[in-house]
Amino acid sequence: MLLNNIFHLSYCTNIHPGSNWDSTFTSLKKHVPGIKKEVSPNAEFGLGLRLSNKASEELNQKDNLEIFKNWLADSGLYVFTMNGFPYGNFHDERVKDQVHAPDWTTVDRVRYTKRLFEQLAALLPEGMSGGISTSPISYKHWHTTEAEKEKAFKVGVTHLLEIVDQLYHIEKTTGTYLHLDIEPEPDGLIENSDEILLLFEKYLIPQGIMALPAKLQCSQTEAIKYIKRYITVCYDICHFSLAFEEPEYTFKKFQNADIQIGKIQVSAALKIVNDLDHNEEIWKALSKFDEPTYLHQVTELVNGKVITHNDLPVILKEKRPFSELRAHFHVPIFLEKFDHLQSTQDHILKVISYLKKHAISEHLEIETYTWDVLPQALKKELSDSIIRELDWLKNRL
């Protein structure tokens, strides 16, 4: 839905099962019309669409794409952003670090992303921009030496520049502006704002000014402009709170570097604040979030440096003293405190406050994908939970 004539607000449909196109479309038809009726009854409602590679391949078969476009139009829906981070199945099986696979060092990731952009270009309403969020190149622990990390960056950026070439030609031939939104997260090859700057300064721009002028028939200066136009950042609020970065600090840093934010994913992390009077209760409450499907990295700030534990069981086993921990578990954005634990909802409120003065992105997507693995006390009916999150955000914007 369009808020304040600026922001397209939706939720990411990765919370619905969808291993193939049939299951994806079935889930959308089951949930989305009822959600729209509650949150946007008199106006069109946008979707943050998530397609697995298989679902995307099958969408191109027969007349599936045309049927989907007609259903969107008949239902008062439109697609303005996609989540192209998870490639395979995202529900009912172990995902963990495989959420990054295949990574940007592979041709499979390039083909998948290019196909998604072709589909987004076909679905996007005329005159609207569109974006796709994606993996931060790769998973850090798959590359054990600096040489391996360097190679992953260089190969990954070579592939990212293929996307720049694709998006340049889509805009040139159709007038449609699309962007790829890199999404930093803990233990990704890109985790924070400094590493986004490093991506541009050390890899994207040097490799781009060598490769793009011949491809796009442009100067090196124009090549830099195209890189920064088509490669943007997905600012996931949960992920940047795990990096212990204050929103205004990050936004100003990107602005100074002329790096755009293509999408803001509105999400909250778990916050665990030390309380000696309730130490055992805190550990017991936190243990309820230990589940086998997704990676739940835990971060803490020690002497000004962010330390990352690669999954929740690591910290639960140690149970060592701490001041404050933050866990990568997307909890409902409308909750500030629950069961001796807190959330990083305060970061969401700071982002909202900043957005009211600076429209740094027009795409807002709520991404709480963990409803089916939440502790029982937090589980509610799925559509009702989505509606509550959308209403909570709408009322504050």
Side-chain angles (χ1 to χ4, degrees):
M1 74 196 92
L2 185 64
L3 294 182
N4 306 336
N5 289 317
I6 299 172
F7 306 112
H8 292 277
L9 168 63
S10 189
Y11 74 99
C12 183
T13 65
N14 64 353
I15 51 185
H16 302 308
S19 59
N20 56 26
W21 174 243
D22 183 62
S23 61
T24 298
F25 198 19
T26 298
S27 291
L28 294 176
K29 288 186 287 189
K30 177 181 177 181
H31 292 284
V32 175
I35 293 169
K36 179 197 180 299
K37 183 178 178 181
E38 293 298 321
V39 300
S40 186
N42 301 314
E44 290 189 331
F45 179 60
L47 283 183
L49 185 63
R50 190 263 158 169
L51 299 175
S52 69
N53 180 64
K54 187 175 182 181
S56 173
E57 288 178 334
E58 292 175 352
L59 181 58
N60 277 354
Q61 295 171 7
K62 301 178 182 178
D63 53 355
N64 286 341
L65 183 59
E66 195 62 30
I67 290 171
F68 183 47
K69 286 177 69 174
N70 290 337
W71 177 77
L72 289 169
D74 292 343
S75 304
L77 302 167
Y78 62 98
V79 175
F80 66 92
T81 186
M82 287 185 173
N83 185 341
F85 194 146
Y87 177 96
N89 191 22
F90 198 58
H91 287 271
D92 304 321
E93 64 182 56
R94 183 181 174 88
V95 178
K96 294 293 183 180
D97 62 333
Q98 292 304 303
V99 72
H100 291 274
D103 65 15
W104 274 101
T105 67
T106 68
V107 174
D108 284 345
R109 172 64 64 172
V110 181
R111 288 173 179 160
Y112 168 57
T113 307
K114 284 185 174 181
R115 189 188 323 113
L116 289 181
F117 271 119
E118 291 167 1
Q119 291 167 337
L120 180 57
L123 294 170
L124 193 69
E126 187 175 352
M128 196 178 294
S129 66
I132 297 175
S133 49
T134 192
S135 153
I137 308 297
S138 187
Y139 182 58
K140 188 168 288 185
H141 294 297
W142 292 346
H143 311 280
T144 55
T145 68
E146 290 304 312
E148 288 175 352
K149 291 176 184 175
E150 182 79 1
K151 182 179 179 181
F153 268 114
K154 288 183 176 179
V155 175
V157 164
T158 298
H159 289 152
L160 289 177
L161 292 172
E162 288 189 42
I163 304 299
V164 172
D165 182 37
Q166 178 195 21
L167 301 187
Y168 169 85
H169 283 100
I170 286 175
E171 186 170 23
K172 186 175 182 181
T173 55
T174 69
T176 300
Y177 170 49
L178 304 172
H179 43 81
L180 181 66
D181 313 328
I182 307 292
E183 182 179 340
E185 77 163 41
D187 282 338
L189 273 186
I190 303 167
E191 298 187 76
N192 51 47
S193 61
D194 283 340
E195 290 175 356
I196 282 287
L197 265 58
L198 182 72
L199 171 69
F200 278 86
E201 294 170 359
K202 186 177 179 180
Y203 300 103
L204 270 170
I205 291 175
Q207 287 181 227
I209 61 176
M210 296 294 292
L212 292 178
K215 278 188 175 183
L216 306 184
Q217 296 297 297
C218 68
S219 66
Q220 290 188 346
T221 300
E222 289 172 323
I224 295 171
K225 182 184 76 172
Y226 296 140
I227 291 167
K228 290 188 174 183
R229 179 166 179 79
Y230 299 118
I231 305 294
T232 63
V233 176
C234 173
Y235 181 90
D236 186 302
I237 301 176
C238 167
H239 297 177
F240 277 89
S241 72
L242 290 162
F244 286 84
E245 290 195 23
E246 288 296 312
E248 186 169 350
Y249 163 85
T250 305
F251 296 150
K252 287 184 176 179
K253 183 187 287 190
F254 289 157
Q255 183 182 16
N256 291 337
D258 194 27
I259 293 171
Q260 298 182 73
I261 296 172
K263 172 165 67 177
I264 295 176
Q265 282 185 327
V266 183
S267 55
L270 267 177
K271 183 191 292 185
I272 308 98
V273 179
N274 186 29
D275 181 353
L276 293 177
D277 293 333
H278 298 93
N279 191 55
E280 283 304 312
E281 293 97 324
I282 287 173
W283 286 116
K284 183 178 179 181
L286 184 58
S287 69
K288 294 177 183 177
F289 288 85
D290 183 16
E291 59 81 34
T293 306
Y294 304 110
L295 263 184
H296 301 298
Q297 306 93 322
V298 180
T299 64
E300 59 180 324
L301 195 62
V302 180
N303 298 323
K305 183 179 180 180
V306 177
I307 306 297
T308 302
H309 311 271
N310 70 340
D311 208 351
L312 187 54
V314 175
I315 205 77
L316 288 171
K317 183 178 180 181
E318 293 177 356
K319 287 189 178 179
R320 58 180 178 74
F322 66 92
S323 175
E324 179 183 320
L325 303 173
R326 296 179 182 181
H328 182 206
F329 198 117
H330 289 219
V331 294
I333 66 173
F334 49 74
L335 293 179
E336 180 186 5
K337 297 180 180 180
F338 42 92
D339 197 16
H340 298 289
L341 303 174
Q342 300 177 32
S343 79
T344 57
Q345 187 194 82
D346 57 320
H347 276 250
I348 298 176
L349 296 174
K350 290 173 185 175
V351 170
I352 291 171
S353 178
Y354 196 86
L355 282 173
K356 289 179 178 179
K357 300 175 184 176
H358 313 276
I360 53 173
S361 178
E362 61 184 19
H363 292 176
L364 307 181
E365 178 187 57
I366 297 173
E367 200 207 13
T368 307
Y369 58 81
T370 54
W371 294 106
D372 55 346
V373 296
L374 283 170
Q376 194 62 41
L378 294 178
K379 285 185 178 180
K380 306 293 180 185
E381 199 281 324
L382 182 57
S383 291
D384 290 344
S385 299
I386 296 167
I387 290 164
R388 186 175 174 188
E389 287 202 305
L390 286 163
D391 282 340
W392 183 91
L393 186 56
K394 261 175 55 178
N395 291 337
R396 279 150 188 81
L397 279 165

